Amino acid sequence: MPQVVRSRIAVLHGAHPATPLPRSFRSLADRAAVEVLHRAARVLVASLPVLTDRLVEALYEQEPGYRAAIDSDRAEVWQEVHHSLRHNVGSLIQPREFRDAAHRTSRWIGEIRAGQGVPLDAVLHAFRMGGAMVWQDLVDETARRDPDDVRLLVHVAADVWNFVDEHCGIVADAYRQAERRLSWRRENQQRLMVAALLDGTARIADLCEAAAMLGLPEQGRYAVLAVASAPGGPQQQDPARPPLNLAAALSPGEGLSTAPGAAPLWHTGPDAAFAILRLTGGPGDPGDPGELHAIADALDAPAGTRAGIGSAVDGLAALGDARRLAETALRACPASGGTVVLDEHLPDALVVSSPALGSALADRVLGPLDRLDPSDRDVILETLTAWLDADGSAQRAGARLYCHRNTVLNRLRRFEQLTGRCLTRPRDAVEVSLALAARRLLGS
């Protein structure tokens, strides 16, 4: 409980408050009131253990926020209350001697209760309950000794409650400072843990602690999203945060099929931001095969943003693999931006997973076209890409290119003549498709 001492008492004891009180208040009635207060306070000092018992019991009955702390360690709470009462009741008698110690005690209590998670309202209520109990005991003791002296306590009542409020302010300030420090420490620990999980450096022995810290099941089903700006595109003002519309799209309740209430956890690397996505289903459960595609459709990626979603994995221990899969999906994104779900672009993923081999394949298959005029070469490549996208239909490819199907067929025959490839041969068709992907993704 707070120090219950008055500024006017300080004047009478030789202390110098910041704002001197008017002379009209320094009356004989003030001196008499202080003497009455001192007599009653000395009785309270002598019976502090009993007063402490009563206050702890009152806290247990009237303040739910303290119940858990008292049940957990009643002796610790008792010592805290007794320590506070000893300094604060002592301040009634010797304000200069006890003021600093009482302030330190109030700050200490604010910090301790913040660390224990006791609500601030409960701590302030406890201080006010202590102040009310001390004041009532002062009045009762004065009335028992000499009822006529009770009227003198009116001269100190306002100052007593002003100091109750002063110590409530000290407690609240200490509580909030401790809460900020604890919040920063907790967030920093979470960031480090998320980074370790995504790097694959988290120890198996730490996974249970990580699950509790992050609010995630150790054996859940997860995927990782990787986000980066397109090369040469606009950069985020704050690279440590994901784009706001991406973060909003991934929030719970936005129509996604991710696990209910599972907001993604973000981590920023040097080249990309990563989000851990908790998926529906559990270990060994294939879940919804369209879940990752639904997440990709729900993303509201800013223009020029590249996003890659890796394959689903089982358990927190596999998040390092999930991050690498997401990075592969990100490398398979078009340079202009877009979203790639790895499971739907595995051939592209093969190419970007081995850039040297992809470039070599592109040079081997498409190299003869580089001897043509660039505009002529680009027409053949565009026609070849449209034909493959149309599942080998010259009719649909011609419609896409605004030309006759025979024109498409003529260009394809020219490609075969220049490269020595046969597009009706499955192996050649696969090599051509991968070579085109390498040219598009690697700039080969």
Side-chain angles (χ1 to χ4, degrees):
M1 67 144 268
Q3 174 191 16
V4 281
V5 64
R6 56 197 287 275
S7 54
R8 204 172 301 134
I9 295 175
V11 172
L12 296 175
H13 281 266
H16 300 282
T19 305
L21 294 169
R23 290 186 60 86
S24 60
F25 285 97
R26 301 174 190 162
S27 63
L28 293 178
D30 289 333
R31 294 181 180 275
V34 171
E35 292 173 1
V36 169
L37 185 66
H38 282 186
R39 285 197 299 269
R42 291 189 186 98
V43 175
L44 262 62
V45 169
S47 61
L48 273 183
V50 176
L51 178 59
T52 303
D53 287 340
R54 289 169 48 215
L55 182 51
V56 171
E57 191 60 35
L59 287 174
Y60 190 84
E61 293 177 357
Q62 301 177 35
E63 181 44 68
Y66 262 77
R67 236 167 251 155
I70 295 173
D71 283 335
S72 173
D73 193 342
R74 191 181 190 92
E76 187 270 338
V77 176
W78 193 96
Q79 289 294 337
E80 172 192 305
V81 172
H82 184 267
H83 194 64
S84 182
L85 286 171
R86 179 163 58 84
H87 284 96
N88 294 319
V89 175
S91 296
L92 294 170
I93 305 168
Q94 296 175 297
R96 284 188 301 174
E97 288 79 356
F98 281 89
R99 177 183 176 86
D100 289 343
H103 282 193
R104 287 195 299 271
T105 299
S106 295
R107 283 193 293 269
W108 173 75
I109 291 174
E111 292 172 356
I112 289 295
R113 291 305 170 207
Q116 294 173 338
V118 177
L120 177 57
D121 287 346
V123 182
L124 296 178
H125 184 209
F127 266 68
R128 293 190 177 100
M129 286 175 62
M133 188 172 289
V134 167
W135 176 251
Q136 188 60 52
D137 281 8
L138 291 171
V139 173
D140 291 346
E141 174 58 27
T142 302
R144 186 189 65 79
R145 181 183 294 271
D146 188 346
D148 289 341
D149 285 347
V150 172
R151 61 184 175 79
L152 292 174
L153 292 179
V154 173
H155 294 273
V156 297
D159 295 306
V160 168
W161 286 105
N162 283 341
F163 272 88
V164 171
D165 289 341
E166 175 191 350
H167 277 262
C168 283
I170 292 172
V171 168
D173 183 62
Y175 185 102
R176 293 188 182 103
Q177 288 184 24
E179 196 173 40
R180 284 193 292 271
R181 289 194 300 271
L182 291 169
S183 177
W184 178 86
R185 188 178 305 140
R186 184 165 50 249
E187 290 174 0
N188 192 50
Q189 289 174 339
Q190 288 179 345
R191 282 195 295 270
L192 292 174
M193 184 60 73
V194 169
L197 289 171
L198 290 172
D199 288 342
T201 57
R203 300 182 304 173
I204 297 298
D206 294 334
L207 293 181
C208 183
E209 178 187 352
M213 180 188 300
L214 303 176
L216 298 172
E218 184 177 347
Q219 299 301 328
R221 188 166 171 269
Y222 300 97
V224 171
L225 164 72
V227 181
S229 298
Q235 300 296 314
Q236 297 182 91
Q237 291 183 348
D238 185 357
R241 295 180 179 272
L244 292 179
N245 39 358
L246 277 181
L250 291 171
S251 298
E254 297 296 331
L256 299 182
S257 57
T258 49
L265 295 172
W266 287 93
H267 170 72
T268 302
D271 301 316
F274 300 91
I276 297 176
L277 307 176
R278 181 182 168 191
L279 306 178
T280 57
D285 181 356
D288 179 2
E291 186 172 11
L292 297 178
H293 184 74
I295 293 174
D297 287 343
L299 291 178
D300 181 18
T305 298
R306 298 159 57 239
I309 302 177
S311 303
V313 298
D314 290 335
L316 294 178
L319 283 177
D321 294 333
R323 170 180 174 160
R324 287 185 284 274
L325 292 171
E327 288 176 323
T328 300
L330 184 63
R331 290 196 297 272
C333 284
S336 58
T339 301
V340 165
V341 177
L342 183 64
D343 290 351
E344 299 174 359
H345 295 79
L346 292 176
D348 290 352
L350 287 173
V351 170
V352 297
S353 294
S354 183
L357 291 178
S359 297
L361 179 63
D363 290 342
R364 179 180 177 184
V365 175
L366 305 177
L369 301 181
D370 292 334
R371 294 191 289 269
L372 300 176
D373 182 84
S375 60
D376 193 15
R377 177 200 62 201
D378 291 344
V379 166
I380 293 177
L381 290 176
E382 183 183 23
T383 302
L384 185 60
T385 300
W387 180 75
L388 289 171
D389 289 343
D391 298 325
S393 170
Q395 186 74 34
R396 291 201 301 272
R400 185 175 299 182
L401 297 171
Y402 302 102
C403 65
H404 194 273
R405 65 181 296 275
N406 289 339
T407 303
V408 172
L409 294 173
N410 289 334
R411 292 173 182 172
L412 295 178
R413 278 194 294 270
R414 189 177 180 206
F415 168 80
E416 291 178 328
Q417 292 168 357
L418 290 169
T419 62
R421 303 286 166 168
C422 178
L423 295 175
T424 59
R425 186 184 301 137
R427 179 169 179 168
D428 285 358
V430 170
E431 288 186 352
V432 168
S433 177
L434 292 175
L436 286 171
R439 180 67 64 94
R440 172 171 51 85
L441 296 170
L442 304 175
S444 302

